[in-house]
């Protein structure tokens, strides 16, 4: 049951919720919005009806609109967003101290608001929080790559990983960059748009983290190592067998400070369609 309810004392009968329903499920019944019982199964629980109702008259899924965050005057302006987007950097130097669990939980709870295809909300984050677990993952990854290198089992398209092994044997960490935390982002194989959903969620996480002074790195080398070359590592860390791991992200407190943006406006590739 979607528990669609209308507070008639607040409802202005404006019809905004009906106009904004993604699949046009709502209709007026006796002058007020309603969700017919035979259409409930089509509802994707996007909550647009509750969000678009200015007086807060609409409730769905048992949620109280009074508990939602008001938006009036709270969005960052374009210049603030420009600074955030241009100013974020891939961090490859991290302080060793881990973040507080509460901080990580807050970041991920906010990231859960990232859009997903048909509102499937199937993205799952496996979070590495403590240094001991990160150290174990580094060691297991090294051993797996050493084994592949000995058997000459690293394919040519990932030949860079052959050069990674001696660096790791010297005590360097070109894959995980000595980051205190790792996100392994996945979605169940039945989730539509799962690859796009994961990339969108990680992009939201990256910008949110940057706004909080937390650094991130898109961990492509880690993805090659743990997903493409040695997927047994995913099982050892607890990724569900029916999940596709799309990408990995490192994060933690930066041990470096940047003072200006780079200059890439000239790299914008824009074409305008004119008919």
């Amino acid at each position: 049951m979607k528990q669609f309810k209308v507070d008639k004392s607040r409802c202005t009968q404006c019809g905004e919720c009906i106009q904004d329903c993604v699949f046009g499920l709502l209709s007026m019944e006796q002058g007020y919005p309603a969700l017919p019982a035979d259409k409930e199964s089509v509802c994707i629980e996007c909550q647009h009806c509750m969000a678009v109702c200015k007086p807060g008259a609409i409730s769905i899924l048992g949620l109280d609109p009074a508990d939602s965050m008001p938006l009036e005057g709270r969005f960052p302006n374009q210049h603030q967003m420009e600074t955030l987007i241009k100013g974020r950097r891939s961090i490859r130097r991290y302080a060793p101290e881990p973040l507080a669990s509460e901080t990580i939980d807050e970041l991920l709870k906010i990231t859960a608001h990232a859009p997903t295809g048909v509102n499937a909300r199937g993205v799952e984050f496996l979070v590495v929080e403590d240094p001991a677990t990160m150290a174990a993952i580094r060691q297991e990854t090294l051993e797996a790559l050493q084994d592949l290198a000995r058997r000459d089992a690293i394919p040519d398209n990932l030949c860079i990983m052959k050069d990674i092994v001696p660096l790791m044997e010297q005590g360097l960490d070109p894959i995980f960059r000595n980051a205190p935390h790792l996100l392994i982002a996945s979605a169940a194989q039945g989730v539509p748009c799962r690859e796009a959903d994961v990339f969108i969620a990680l992009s939201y996480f990256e910008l949110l983290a940057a706004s909080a002074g937390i650094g991130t790195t898109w961990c492509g080398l880690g993805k090659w190592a743990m997903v493409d070359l040695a997927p047994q590592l995913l099982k050892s860390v607890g990724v569900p067998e029916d999940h596709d791991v799309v990408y990995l992200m490192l994060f933690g407190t930066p041990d470096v400070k940047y003072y200006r943006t780079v200059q890439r406006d000239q790299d914008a590739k824009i074409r305008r369609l004119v008919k």
Side-chain angles (χ1 to χ4, degrees):
M1 298 293 292
K2 303 303 179 182
Q3 302 179 63
F4 182 86
K5 298 180 180 179
V6 179
D7 183 342
K8 294 181 179 179
S9 67
R10 294 188 177 191
C11 179
T12 61
Q13 301 172 305
C14 66
E16 278 294 297
C17 56
I18 294 173
Q19 292 295 319
D20 209 52
C21 181
V22 177
F23 291 115
L25 306 180
L26 304 181
S27 58
M28 284 290 189
E29 293 185 5
Q30 298 179 350
Y32 293 95
L35 175 60
D38 62 343
K39 295 183 178 180
E40 283 200 358
S41 62
V42 185
C43 173
I44 61 171
E45 302 181 0
C46 66
Q47 302 181 40
H48 275 221
C49 53
M50 185 173 71
V52 80
C53 180
K54 185 175 182 179
I58 301 295
S59 172
I60 193 168
L61 306 174
L63 301 172
D64 186 345
D67 294 332
S68 294
M69 181 183 294
L71 299 179
E72 190 73 30
R74 294 196 176 201
F75 272 21
N77 61 42
Q78 181 178 341
H79 297 298
Q80 291 169 327
M81 287 303 300
E82 177 186 9
T83 302
L84 179 61
I85 292 170
K86 289 184 175 181
R88 51 71 48 208
R89 301 254 58 82
S90 293
I91 301 299
R92 296 179 177 86
R93 294 157 56 193
Y94 288 93
E97 296 78 17
L99 300 172
S101 294
E102 295 78 9
T103 299
I104 296 174
D105 287 348
E106 186 69 13
L107 291 174
L108 292 176
K109 286 178 181 177
I110 297 172
T111 299
H113 288 256
T116 58
V118 294
N119 200 36
R121 306 190 305 278
V123 176
E124 182 171 310
F125 288 124
L126 192 154
V127 188
V128 179
E129 288 196 33
D130 66 286
T133 301
M134 277 301 304
I137 290 175
R138 289 186 182 94
Q139 183 61 33
E140 290 176 14
T141 302
L142 170 59
E143 292 172 0
L145 293 177
Q146 286 174 323
D147 177 64
L148 290 167
R150 280 194 299 267
R151 295 188 287 109
D152 196 26
I154 297 177
D156 291 341
N157 65 316
L158 296 180
C159 61
I160 188 175
M161 302 305 289
K162 298 177 183 178
D163 300 325
I164 294 293
V165 174
L167 296 176
M168 295 183 73
E169 290 173 340
Q170 296 170 32
L172 301 176
D173 189 16
I175 295 181
F176 301 108
R177 298 289 176 176
N178 293 311
H181 305 294
L182 173 67
L183 284 183
I184 300 176
S186 68
Q189 292 170 4
V191 174
C193 311
R194 57 189 177 277
E195 185 171 278
D197 290 350
V198 167
F199 282 125
I200 292 169
L202 285 174
S203 297
Y204 273 52
F205 179 87
E206 175 190 34
L207 293 176
L208 178 65
S211 74
I214 296 168
T216 58
T217 311
W218 291 83
C219 191
L221 293 177
K223 190 264 184 183
W224 285 347
M226 299 183 70
V227 179
D228 299 327
L229 292 176
Q232 71 272 15
L233 295 173
L234 300 177
K235 185 176 181 180
S236 72
V237 298
V239 175
E241 291 185 2
D242 66 336
H243 273 225
D244 287 334
V245 172
V246 178
Y247 224 81
L248 283 66
M249 180 167 282
L250 306 170
F251 69 103
T253 302
D255 195 27
V256 58
K257 183 178 178 65
Y258 296 97
Y259 294 93
R260 59 192 57 80
T261 69
V262 298
Q263 300 177 36
R264 289 182 178 156
D265 289 358
Q266 69 278 8
D267 296 333
K269 296 174 176 61
I270 302 170
R271 293 194 297 164
R272 289 178 170 83
L273 178 63
V274 178
K275 291 187 178 181

